[in-house]
Amino acid sequence: MTSLPATGPLTTRQIGERAQAMVDALATVSADEGALTRLYLTPEHRRAAEMVSGWMDTAGLSARMDAAGTVRGALPPGAAGRNSNKVLLIGSHIDTVIDGGRFDGNLGVIAGILAVEQLKARGIALPFGLEVLAFGDEEGVRFPVTLTSSAVAAGVFDPNSLDVADAQGVTLREALVAFGGDPERLRQEAYQRPAVLGYLEVHIEQGPVLERAGEPLGVVSAIASQSRHRIRIRGEAGHAGTVPMEMRHDALAAAAEIILAVEAIARKGKKHALVATVGHVEVMPGASNVIPGDVRFSLDVRAATDDARKAAVEEITLFARRIDKRRQVVVGVETVMEKGVATCAPRLAKAIAAGVGAVQAKPARSLMSGAGHDGLSMAQLGDIGMIFVRCRAGISHNPNEWVSIDDMGAAVEALVATIEELARQERAGR
């Protein structure tokens, strides 16, 4: 499904079926056969962006690709709001992790497009403009930075990030140019705060709470504080058979102690929903008969509060310094990304709760998001709000990620109802 035939008003089930077809179509765009891998500024990202752009045009949005690779689909205000310069932003991302799931991010973009389609089909005119955004770098897999495209939209992109390189040595600047973007125009792509009514995002929960409660949808209260770090340990390579144990400077053994400490420190922080993960490790020279002399690994730390996260990072760093001295290795800790807690705006959360309440029997449950989202960037521009969608067993970043057709339809209907509520507020001057 690469085109999106125009339709009239649809039932919730029909909307869900339409969403499923679009999700499946995007899932065919991958760098890996038999797995879904779509990284920022790759040929696969370009193909997915073109597919989404076509859907936007057919749904009645005017689509364009911005300088950072974000697809932006614009809908002007209705007749009653022709003089309004205000805009409501709705978005998510179309990049994936390596061997990821098909709903993460993609569903949010599709939900925005289908919501616009139904607003138009039902003759609902808005007193403000609306833009659907398909960001390209929420996962941060290709480059050692993340949220690039949403940071550009929010006006908080650090131009120094243009010089970071991927594993092949291609810089972000070079990749942008090859993709058709323009590093020199990134600042001009920022939205202006006074004109933005807010940012809404539909996203799978990536957790089990809604499923256990038997509820299709929920309202997000905040996005957790998070940071990413790179840790490097330099020891001394040596022959595995000739260097006595007490004379070794084994970088991997030192890393193992630190990684276990990361887990132990995170377990102590349950009160603050603290989690810490080492997800990538490089061991050099990487031979079975050589003592590891150089180890590099990632560290991801998240918590419900900025203070809890920072305290955990400090404790991990101090432990690493002690290992440094005891094992006579050199440990370096570098922070590559840091985002504070992003609290969802009460007015948007209230509108979402009303929208969710219109399509499900139970009142909207409030949940915190432990996962990061483009809202972390957009919160620096203005108010944000998020709708969570139930996903089976809470599985995400995994090929087994799954959302039912009925829940996808309900999510789009809730988004439409939320937009209508915000339109009522705007007309009333609130």
Side-chain angles (χ1 to χ4, degrees):
M1 177 183 178
T2 56
S3 63
L4 184 71
T7 68
L10 301 177
T11 65
T12 302
R13 177 72 183 184
Q14 289 172 327
I15 293 171
E17 290 170 344
R18 200 162 172 76
Q20 183 68 66
M22 295 165 76
V23 165
D24 291 344
L26 270 179
T28 66
V29 184
S30 174
D32 297 328
E33 187 175 351
L36 179 53
T37 300
R38 190 165 58 240
L39 308 186
Y40 184 44
L41 302 180
T42 59
E44 297 75 36
H45 177 199
R46 164 64 71 175
R47 286 165 52 206
E50 290 172 351
M51 185 180 292
V52 167
S53 179
W55 290 341
M56 287 180 176
D57 284 335
T58 306
L61 293 156
S62 177
R64 74 176 181 93
M65 180 89 74
D66 77 8
T70 298
V71 186
R72 302 187 183 192
L75 179 73
R82 287 296 182 197
N83 296 323
S84 174
N85 65 346
K86 293 184 178 180
V87 61
L88 176 66
L89 306 177
I90 299 171
S92 197
H93 60 98
I94 57 173
D95 63 318
T96 75
V97 296
I98 296 170
D99 194 15
R102 61 183 58 196
F103 298 91
D104 179 6
N106 300 301
L107 176 58
V109 174
I110 289 166
I113 294 170
L114 292 180
V116 169
E117 182 181 271
Q118 288 308 297
L119 286 167
K120 292 177 69 67
R122 298 170 188 181
I124 300 169
L126 303 176
F128 45 73
L130 186 152
E131 291 195 24
V132 178
L133 309 175
F135 296 120
D137 186 38
E138 194 265 1
E139 300 293 2
V141 176
R142 181 178 179 186
F143 297 97
V145 292
T146 188
L147 304 178
T148 298
S149 44
S150 53
V152 167
V156 295
F157 176 72
D158 180 1
N160 291 323
S161 297
L162 289 169
D163 297 322
V164 304
D166 66 11
Q168 283 69 48
V170 179
T171 67
L172 178 55
R173 182 189 303 275
E174 291 167 339
L176 262 176
V177 171
F179 189 79
D182 187 350
E184 306 308 316
R185 291 187 57 250
L186 297 180
R187 183 173 296 182
Q188 300 171 38
E189 296 287 13
Y191 289 97
Q192 300 305 305
R193 177 182 287 266
V196 176
L197 279 172
Y199 169 78
L200 299 178
E201 182 167 357
V202 173
H203 204 284
I204 61 172
E205 182 194 350
Q206 300 177 287
V209 176
L210 290 174
E211 184 182 55
R212 289 179 181 175
E215 298 164 8
L217 308 173
V219 55
V220 177
S221 58
I223 303 172
S225 173
Q226 65 174 281
S227 58
R228 291 184 183 181
H229 313 266
R230 283 194 294 244
I231 299 179
R232 181 178 182 183
I233 303 174
R234 282 171 288 181
E236 185 176 7
H239 196 292
T242 62
V243 181
M245 296 302 292
E246 66 274 11
M247 296 178 64
R248 297 185 178 202
H249 306 289
D250 188 326
L252 182 57
E257 285 201 60
I258 295 171
I259 291 169
L260 286 174
V262 167
E263 182 185 47
I265 290 166
R267 284 182 180 274
K268 294 190 301 182
K270 186 176 180 180
K271 174 182 174 184
H272 300 291
L274 177 68
V275 292
T277 305
V278 173
H280 179 74
V281 180
E282 295 178 80
V283 181
M284 289 155 281
S288 61
N289 61 345
V290 181
I291 299 164
D294 192 347
V295 173
R296 305 173 193 189
F297 61 92
S298 64
L299 173 64
D300 183 302
V301 184
R302 310 184 190 209
T305 69
D306 293 335
D307 288 344
R309 175 185 55 78
K310 291 176 181 178
V313 172
E314 182 178 1
E315 188 174 355
I316 291 167
T317 302
L318 288 174
F319 182 90
R321 300 296 182 219
R322 290 197 293 271
I323 293 297
D324 180 312
K325 291 180 174 61
R326 179 159 58 80
R327 287 188 170 271
Q328 295 184 341
V329 295
V330 178
V331 179
V333 181
E334 177 189 5
T335 299
V336 295
M337 187 274 280
E338 191 169 23
K339 300 287 185 182
V341 171
T343 302
C344 294
R347 70 177 183 89
L348 294 183
K350 185 177 180 180
I352 290 170
V356 171
V359 299
Q360 73 178 30
K362 295 182 180 180
R365 179 181 299 268
S366 180
L367 304 91
M368 180 155 187
S369 174
H373 303 284
D374 287 298
L376 286 167
S377 291
M378 301 305 283
Q380 298 179 71
L381 172 68
D383 290 348
I384 65 168
M386 290 188 69
I387 299 172
F388 261 174
V389 187
R390 172 173 55 188
C391 60
R392 185 171 58 193
I395 294 172
S396 184
H397 286 188
N398 183 303
N400 292 323
E401 192 177 88
W402 185 83
V403 181
S404 75
I405 286 174
D406 288 335
D407 285 0
M408 285 190 283
V412 174
E413 289 285 16
L415 180 58
V416 170
T418 300
I419 296 168
E420 288 186 276
E421 173 61 25
L422 292 174
R424 283 191 288 270
Q425 293 179 12
E426 187 65 16
R427 291 187 187 102
R430 285 183 282 171

